[in-house]
Amino acid sequence: MIIQSEKKTKRKIFEAVTTAIGWIFLVLFLFMLGSHLEWKINRNIYALSLVNSSIIILVTVIVIIISFLVLTLWGIYNKRRFGKLFRRSFPIPTEIEEIADYYSLSTIEVLQLQQKNYVER
């Protein structure tokens, strides 16, 4: 069985927006972290001085607590919503003939490609 599916446009847009927001958050977080840290070279030893270290610790603790709550609630939701489903059955393995037919190759070529460590395009 060869599985090939097309994603819906709404899903593609949602994934792109979510990914963009994640990258923006990461870049802003690293920028803010970098702005709070000052690296100084002192006798070949890097000394890290923190500006308002108590605020950094407080924000870190708040982010950890919020992350823990969100992941816990998400897990509870998934358990209630999808816990009753049993989807652990796997499809039957794809035969070499099916792969050869799908890619318009001979079975010998498919076997050779499967044995290669590097496939040229």
Side-chain angles (χ1 to χ4, degrees):
M1 170 187 274
I2 297 173
I3 299 173
Q4 186 175 8
S5 64
E6 293 292 325
K7 292 182 182 178
K8 295 181 181 178
T9 306
K10 289 181 183 179
R11 184 172 178 170
K12 286 181 184 177
I13 293 171
F14 176 74
E15 288 177 355
V17 169
T18 306
T19 303
I21 289 172
W23 279 108
I24 290 170
F25 176 77
L26 178 66
V27 167
L28 289 176
F29 173 76
L30 292 175
F31 175 75
M32 296 301 284
L33 182 67
S35 68
H36 287 293
L37 302 176
E38 293 179 12
W39 292 96
K40 296 179 182 177
I41 299 175
N42 186 8
R43 296 183 189 161
N44 297 329
I45 297 175
Y46 289 98
L48 179 65
S49 68
L50 298 176
V51 178
N52 295 330
S53 61
S54 60
I55 291 178
I56 293 175
I57 292 172
L58 179 65
V59 169
T60 304
V61 169
I62 290 172
V63 167
I64 289 171
I65 290 171
I66 290 173
S67 299
F68 177 76
L69 288 175
V70 166
L71 291 174
T72 302
L73 292 174
W74 190 1
I76 292 170
Y77 164 76
N78 281 337
K79 186 123 180 151
R80 287 185 183 169
R81 175 77 170 90
F82 303 110
K84 299 173 186 173
L85 301 177
F86 184 73
R87 297 183 180 180
R88 301 281 178 180
S89 60
F90 296 100
I92 56 172
T94 306
E95 298 293 327
I96 293 178
E97 290 81 16
E98 289 180 72
I99 297 172
D101 290 338
Y102 184 79
Y103 290 107
S104 302
L105 298 171
S106 67
T107 55
I108 297 170
E109 291 174 324
V110 172
L111 289 172
Q112 289 174 348
L113 288 173
Q114 286 179 342
Q115 293 173 355
K116 281 187 176 180
N117 290 335
Y118 175 75
V119 178
E120 294 182 19
R121 287 186 175 212

